[in-house]
Amino acid sequence: MTMTNHPNLLSMLALAAVSLGLTACGTAGDEDRARVIVIEDEEPVIKPIGIELNYASAIARSAIAKGLVGFDEQGRVVPSLAARWIVTDDGMSYIFRLNDAQWNDGTPVTAERVATLLRERIAELSKSRLGPDLRTIDEIVPMTGRVIEIRLTSAHPNFLQLMAQPELGLFKAGQGAGPMTKLDNGKTYTLAIMSQQPSDEDESEENEQTVEEAVEDDPRRVILRSETAAKALARYTAGYSDVLLNGKFHHLPLVEEAGISTNDLRLDPVAGLFGFKFLRAEGFWAVPKNREILSMAIDRPALLTSFPNVTAWQSRQKIVPEALDVAGIDARPYWASMTIQERQAVAREHVARWQSLEGPVRPLTISLPDAAGADIFFLRVQSDLRRVGLNAIQAGPDQPADIRLIDEIAAYDSTKWFLYRLTCTQMSVCLNDADAKIAEADAATNLQMKARLYAEAEVMLVEHYSFIPLAVPVRWSISRPGQQGLAVNPRGWHPLNLLVGIPIS
């Protein structure tokens, strides 16, 4: 198989503009309206139900279905359905006092209903990306009409970040609790402020205005679309959108060719997994010591500088971010302090020795997104492998391959989040001993012991090389100068309601 050939990037943008019927005379927006496009590689749909939400669906859900807490534009946990909360000294219980709020149908939000909906939603999410952490929840108990308690099986220092995830926004019979409401669901997804229904006691003539009329009186709107990167950038450069979200590394060449101002481009300092996941390990690649050669051979700094718009892109040689490290345990590989020339010399000697005994090593097939940026990425990796006597072939995202690029943001600041994605429930090439160590950490009640066990599991996984860490993920957005409610943040999360000045609660 050969590498996918992409047309000239400027031609891609021009064709996208023509297909959309765009010209360069788009009108500018105002602070009451935000025209937002989410970049999606897969089918560009906005469907804020289910358990596997794409980015567009997730931010739509967070706008119309509150959870107990949410994220602000800085990625900080803030009140939502809950006005405030306390945590017991042992970290095993969270007690939330609810706001005086309504569902979109006008019925009041009560602790009993929220507890029921949370139990149902957590059961639905058991097989989702949040499933491993949600298993920490033992009981959800309504204590009074406005107070709810969540009891845990073990302390979870990042529990509030977990509860702020968009999947935990609640619907009651298809109705959310705002802060926004959906006006349509066509190719665009228009959101407006959710107005409160008048109470039963307030039946005066002056308060008989319908919710629809109240919404109509408030000019604040978010017009949400989901598009491919080329179409999204064509709309932006033509003046037909104000904000682009969910840009990734492989879209960056299009940004450069579109001539986007550096003042408009924003890079989120996110954490997560960005590297190669082994899908199968056969022949040479069946041996962890040989998989280590792949990690040693890649010149990470040179790889990252192939994308000049991202000057602060950080490389990684371990799985868990340094901020979560445990004193006394170093998960970095032994060769971390070697120069790339030294590493490649060791790798080249190792490969030559193997081939003299076992014969040629077949090319490694690498599954990557179908995008120009992924082609640049592949050529750099292929060049590094050839320097040590190996070769690689590029495959599309849905084609059979030996390894696949994983590019995922961490939902919360938890070592457990990183390690669980490399267990045998998630990986076809995995290490049972590491799974056992992670399970031991899960069962530990002492937080220091838990952290140490997780750190030991990371060492085991790094040395197994079923996942080859390369860098932190890249997430970028584009917006007009002065856009309110949009800030770079470590969650890579940008709430829609704040773009038009509507608070979450």
Side-chain angles (χ1 to χ4, degrees):
M1 160 173 196
T2 58
M3 183 182 71
T4 303
N5 290 318
H6 288 274
N8 179 272
L9 298 180
L10 283 172
S11 299
M12 291 174 65
L13 291 168
L15 287 170
V18 169
S19 70
L20 293 168
L22 300 180
T23 64
C25 58
T27 58
D30 57 54
E31 64 181 12
D32 289 330
R33 291 179 183 254
R35 299 162 300 172
V36 180
I37 301 180
V38 174
I39 296 172
E40 298 284 2
D41 291 325
E42 305 298 329
E43 185 181 2
V45 297
I46 304 173
K47 188 177 181 182
I49 59 174
I51 64 173
E52 299 295 341
L53 305 179
N54 63 14
Y55 191 95
S57 301
I59 61 169
R61 186 181 183 110
S62 70
I64 61 179
K66 293 179 182 177
L68 288 173
V69 292
F71 289 122
D72 68 5
E73 73 277 16
Q74 302 285 347
R76 299 169 299 200
V77 174
V78 293
S80 189
L81 285 178
R84 57 186 182 274
W85 53 86
I86 60 172
V87 186
T88 56
D89 290 342
D90 60 3
M92 301 281 283
S93 177
Y94 286 71
I95 301 170
F96 300 86
R97 176 170 288 278
L98 301 181
N99 274 305
D100 183 11
Q102 294 180 359
W103 302 103
N104 200 23
D105 61 6
T107 58
V109 172
T110 64
E112 184 174 359
R113 173 60 77 175
V114 168
T116 298
L117 293 174
L118 268 177
R119 292 189 205 104
E120 292 172 352
R121 185 59 177 161
I122 287 166
E124 291 173 351
L125 293 168
S126 62
K127 296 186 183 300
S128 75
R129 70 187 185 110
L130 305 181
D133 275 283
L134 290 172
R135 288 197 288 271
T136 306
I137 296 175
D138 185 27
E139 287 185 281
I140 302 173
V141 182
M143 300 176 71
T144 69
R146 298 265 296 279
V147 177
I148 185 171
E149 181 182 12
I150 300 181
R151 300 168 185 166
L152 308 182
T153 58
S154 62
H156 191 318
N158 311 103
F159 184 68
L160 290 174
Q161 291 179 353
L162 171 63
M163 296 306 295
Q165 298 301 311
E167 290 92 331
L168 287 164
L170 300 178
F171 286 110
K172 181 185 75 68
Q175 301 290 338
M180 305 189 80
T181 188
K182 179 184 68 176
L183 296 185
D184 63 45
N185 190 14
K187 179 65 176 176
T188 60
Y189 198 96
T190 304
L191 297 161
I193 188 169
M194 192 191 91
S195 292
Q196 296 287 293
Q197 294 271 6
S199 65
D200 293 339
E201 295 81 14
D202 193 359
E203 297 179 352
S204 62
E205 190 172 309
E206 61 192 34
N207 286 306
E208 288 180 353
Q209 183 185 41
T210 66
V211 173
E212 289 77 12
E213 290 170 340
V215 167
E216 203 60 40
D217 286 345
D218 193 310
R220 291 175 290 182
R221 299 284 188 275
V222 172
I223 297 91
L224 180 66
R225 302 178 68 96
S226 178
E227 298 279 12
T228 63
K231 288 183 178 181
L233 285 161
R235 284 189 180 276
Y236 185 84
T237 56
Y240 283 90
S241 65
D242 307 305
V243 177
L244 304 187
L245 300 175
N246 199 40
K248 300 179 181 178
F249 89 96
H250 53 275
H251 305 132
L252 286 168
L254 284 173
V255 175
E256 187 173 5
E257 291 295 337
I260 301 296
S261 168
T262 54
N263 293 328
D264 293 2
L265 182 65
R266 303 158 182 257
L267 298 171
D268 288 313
V270 297
L273 294 177
F274 185 91
F276 290 133
K277 165 184 174 179
F278 269 86
L279 306 176
R280 60 190 181 204
E282 301 169 351
F284 178 82
W285 304 108
V287 181
K289 191 67 178 175
N290 293 347
R291 295 196 294 269
E292 180 184 35
I293 296 303
L294 173 61
S295 192
M296 292 181 71
I298 296 174
D299 186 347
R300 290 165 175 80
L303 177 66
L304 305 188
T305 54
S306 301
F307 299 87
N309 280 327
V310 194
T311 56
W313 198 357
Q314 297 177 330
S315 63
R316 283 287 180 271
Q317 296 172 336
K318 61 192 291 296
I319 297 164
V320 178
E322 287 78 0
L324 300 175
D325 282 352
V326 172
I329 298 181
D330 186 1
R332 292 169 184 78
Y334 75 90
W335 44 262
S337 60
M338 296 168 61
T339 67
I340 184 61
Q341 292 78 16
E342 291 170 337
R343 282 164 30 200
Q344 290 181 344
V346 170
R348 189 162 48 247
E349 182 181 347
H350 179 94
V351 171
R353 189 164 53 247
W354 171 277
Q355 291 181 330
S356 68
L357 296 172
E358 305 291 339
V361 177
R362 67 173 178 80
L364 185 70
T365 306
I366 304 176
S367 174
L368 293 168
D370 184 16
D375 292 348
I376 295 170
F377 186 88
F378 170 77
L379 290 172
R380 170 61 70 176
V381 172
Q382 184 188 53
S383 175
D384 287 339
L385 287 178
R386 286 175 173 173
R387 285 187 173 92
V388 301
L390 298 171
N391 200 3
I393 296 173
Q394 185 174 355
D398 300 318
Q399 294 175 313
D402 299 306
I403 61 176
R404 175 177 295 135
L405 181 69
I406 301 301
D407 181 2
E408 188 176 354
I409 298 177
Y412 26 86
D413 303 324
S414 166
T415 301
K416 181 178 179 178
W417 181 92
F418 290 86
L419 300 184
Y420 254 91
R421 272 133 194 86
L422 307 180
T423 60
C424 293
T425 61
Q426 306 290 320
M427 302 270 287
S428 52
V429 180
C430 62
L431 183 62
N432 288 322
D433 288 348
D435 282 19
K437 183 69 71 173
I438 293 169
E440 186 182 354
D442 287 346
T445 56
N446 180 279
L447 289 179
Q448 290 183 330
M449 178 57 69
K450 185 186 291 285
R452 180 160 292 276
L453 290 168
Y454 281 140
E456 291 173 0
E458 183 192 8
V459 172
M460 297 168 71
L461 287 169
V462 166
E463 293 177 350
H464 190 246
Y465 292 100
S466 51
F467 174 75
I468 310 297
L470 298 175
V472 298
V474 166
R475 291 295 183 274
W476 55 263
S477 59
I478 292 174
S479 71
R480 307 290 176 194
Q483 172 64 51
Q484 67 172 322
L486 185 70
V488 297
N489 67 80
R491 304 263 77 83
W493 186 248
H494 304 288
L496 297 176
N497 53 292
L498 297 176
L499 299 178
V500 289
I502 298 174
I504 193 172
S505 60

